[in-house]
Amino acid sequence: MVIAIQLILLTCYTLLNHLILGNITTTQSPVAKGRQVFNNNNNNELGFVPIEHICGLPLHRRIVGGREAEPRAFPWIAALGTQGEFLPFCGGTLISNQYVVSAAHCFRNRRPDQLVVRLGAHDFSVLPVERDARDFQISWVKMHPRWQGVDTGDYDIALIKLTPNVVFSRSVMPICLPPWRTRPTYAGELATVAGWGRTRFNGYQSERLMQVEVQVWNNSACNQALAPKGYKVTPGMMCAGDPKGGKDSCNGDSGGPLMIQESTDERWLLVGVVSWGVGCAQPNTPGVYTRVNEYVEWIRNTIQIPK
């Protein structure tokens, strides 16, 4: 009986190895609930697993007005900095083993060859660099072709191609892109924003990754709140914040992720990119984010993901 069970387990293990081997070539929303498969080595590196099987998987089950994030809580978050001068000036989100999504305005008046993208980071006060952190050069940056600068705030999204390719681990994994054919609004849902930005308007930048939970507003309510201040929200934007104030993204969080965790399989989706706001965490003044599901088709076409 014991021998038979051992043979069955060995057969299943061999079959599983055959199933998970293969190149990571696409980034897409999950089509089935996957599992994490780690190699037996000191770096806990992931084997070659299709991205749709690992994107957005939580490693922990459980900003202004926020709290310090747990290390590895958001292994897809990226920090953008100038070579030789790190703290990060912007954030980003890893969506594959080559590409990071960020905000177009993060690259205004900046040369990509002078920048670096750090993955696996948590605490920038640690010197030398944290063990799990890795720096990557930028092969190219493509801003949305219809982005016209910070005056309108529309089309505020960019893709970054990293070099060399990323090796996934417990500290570095991609997030899932949201559904783009149905394009849910997420209004009323609780979302999480994370970054190393200022912890208050004109305050100090955080050295540790912070997170805060904010409610997604519908665009009509957001426009009603921001129109008297002279601002307009378009369909390519989304708003999130606490109506009472006190919780928000802020300067330095730009380009970072606004995330929602699905209730069905607990995967995290990249639903927004930190874009702009009127001050930080003011009452009845939500932060404004680029609505990612309006741009998934552009992302897929730019990095040539098969439909």
Side-chain angles (χ1 to χ4, degrees):
M1 181 70 173
V2 173
I3 295 175
I5 292 174
Q6 289 175 336
L7 287 173
I8 292 171
L9 291 175
L10 179 61
T11 302
C12 292
Y13 176 78
T14 303
L15 178 60
L16 178 62
N17 278 339
H18 283 294
L19 288 173
I20 66 173
L21 290 175
N23 294 326
I24 301 172
T25 57
T26 65
T27 308
Q28 52 192 354
S29 297
V31 295
K33 185 173 181 180
R35 58 181 298 182
Q36 298 172 81
V37 183
F38 291 92
N39 290 331
N40 185 20
N41 58 34
N42 293 331
N43 294 325
N44 291 325
E45 292 178 353
L46 281 164
F48 291 104
V49 186
I51 285 177
E52 65 268 22
H53 287 182
I54 64 170
C55 71
L57 287 176
L59 295 183
H60 297 276
R61 300 180 183 271
R62 28 154 267 135
I63 301 232
V64 178
R67 64 187 186 277
E68 182 180 349
E70 293 184 46
R72 297 177 172 177
F74 307 113
W76 37 81
I77 195 163
L80 278 60
T82 304
Q83 293 183 15
E85 298 180 10
F86 241 86
L87 286 174
F89 61 83
C90 270
T93 312
L94 187 69
I95 61 168
S96 78
N97 65 339
Q98 290 183 294
Y99 297 99
V100 166
V101 172
S102 188
H105 79 260
C106 288
F107 299 94
R108 187 179 59 152
N109 301 325
R110 289 189 171 102
R111 289 175 46 186
D113 61 347
Q114 296 178 342
L115 307 179
V116 64
V117 176
R118 181 169 293 177
L119 299 174
H122 176 78
D123 187 351
F124 280 91
S125 68
V126 175
L127 296 174
V129 176
E130 297 167 286
R131 184 189 66 178
D132 292 338
R134 298 288 184 275
D135 287 351
F136 293 82
Q137 302 301 309
I138 294 177
S139 177
W140 50 252
V141 174
K142 291 188 179 180
M143 295 179 283
H144 194 281
R146 297 187 66 180
W147 184 71
Q148 297 179 349
V150 295
D151 292 337
T152 66
D154 220 355
Y155 302 98
D156 189 13
I157 191 167
L159 274 170
I160 307 165
K161 185 175 183 180
L162 304 179
T163 181
N165 288 359
V166 176
V167 177
F168 297 144
S169 68
R170 291 184 184 271
S171 302
V172 179
M173 287 201 299
I175 198 171
C176 299
L177 292 175
W180 58 288
R181 291 188 173 93
T182 56
R183 300 189 183 183
T185 67
Y186 302 107
E189 295 195 38
L190 197 65
T192 300
V193 60
W196 290 271
R198 299 181 189 274
T199 54
R200 61 175 179 166
F201 188 60
N202 289 330
Y204 292 104
Q205 187 171 355
S206 176
E207 293 180 325
R208 296 181 178 180
L209 182 65
M210 303 291 287
Q211 70 176 81
V212 67
E213 285 69 45
V214 289
Q215 188 176 43
V216 178
W217 294 32
N218 66 56
N219 278 21
S220 177
C222 188
N223 268 316
Q224 289 178 10
L226 296 183
K229 299 175 173 66
Y231 299 94
K232 180 182 178 180
V233 174
T234 70
M237 304 174 188
M238 63 189 300
C239 301
D242 190 325
K244 298 178 181 179
K247 295 181 179 181
D248 199 2
S249 54
C250 201
N251 307 76
D253 291 320
S254 289
L258 179 71
M259 306 166 282
I260 285 181
Q261 191 171 25
E262 289 192 311
S263 59
T264 52
D265 58 8
E266 298 187 330
R267 292 178 184 270
W268 288 91
L269 304 179
L270 175 65
V271 299
V273 174
V274 180
S275 183
W276 60 276
V278 183
C280 300
Q282 297 181 19
N284 201 37
T285 310
V288 182
Y289 301 78
T290 303
R291 187 182 293 276
V292 174
N293 60 14
E294 289 287 327
Y295 299 99
V296 170
E297 189 169 9
W298 171 75
I299 292 171
R300 295 170 66 94
N301 291 336
T302 302
I303 62 181
Q304 297 180 343
I305 296 176
K307 294 187 184 293

